[in-house]
Amino acid sequence: MNVPQPVNASPDLGIRVVYMLIFAVVFWLLCWVLAVTTIVQLVVRLLNGRPHPDLVRFGGSLARYARQIIDFLTFVTELAPYPFTSWPAEG
């Protein structure tokens, strides 16, 4: 059975806290972008009868980016999300 090991405080914790504050704001903005994207996609679906493929791809990548931010903020990973890594790929 795998028992999680406690994470030791590192000298970089201060920098991580700054990054966490920045990414918390980015996540807040991301939620607004998601809301606008959802409304636009709904309107497109109502008018055309099908969702717009570019908005579908954008929404998917936005969801993967949100997951990266959440994983970083909750200490699931030490890897900071975009722009410190590449934008989340499809798939």
Side-chain angles (χ1 to χ4, degrees):
M1 181 163 96
N2 269 342
V3 177
Q5 298 297 320
V7 178
N8 295 331
S10 68
D12 297 332
L13 185 59
I15 293 172
R16 184 186 170 97
V17 169
V18 171
Y19 285 159
M20 288 176 72
L21 292 172
I22 292 169
F23 280 113
V25 171
V26 169
F27 185 76
W28 179 78
L29 293 171
L30 184 142
C31 289
W32 283 103
V33 171
L34 176 63
V36 170
T37 304
T38 301
I39 292 167
V40 170
Q41 187 69 293
L42 177 62
V43 170
V44 168
R45 173 78 162 94
L46 290 172
L47 295 176
N48 294 338
R50 65 188 195 294
H52 193 280
D54 290 336
L55 284 176
V56 170
R57 281 192 300 277
F58 177 71
S61 74
L62 199 62
R64 287 185 294 278
Y65 185 54
R67 174 62 190 253
Q68 286 182 349
I69 292 175
I70 291 168
D71 285 349
F72 181 72
L73 292 176
T74 59
F75 287 86
V76 171
T77 182
E78 293 293 319
L79 187 63
Y82 178 84
F84 299 100
T85 60
S86 60
W87 184 258
E90 280 189 53

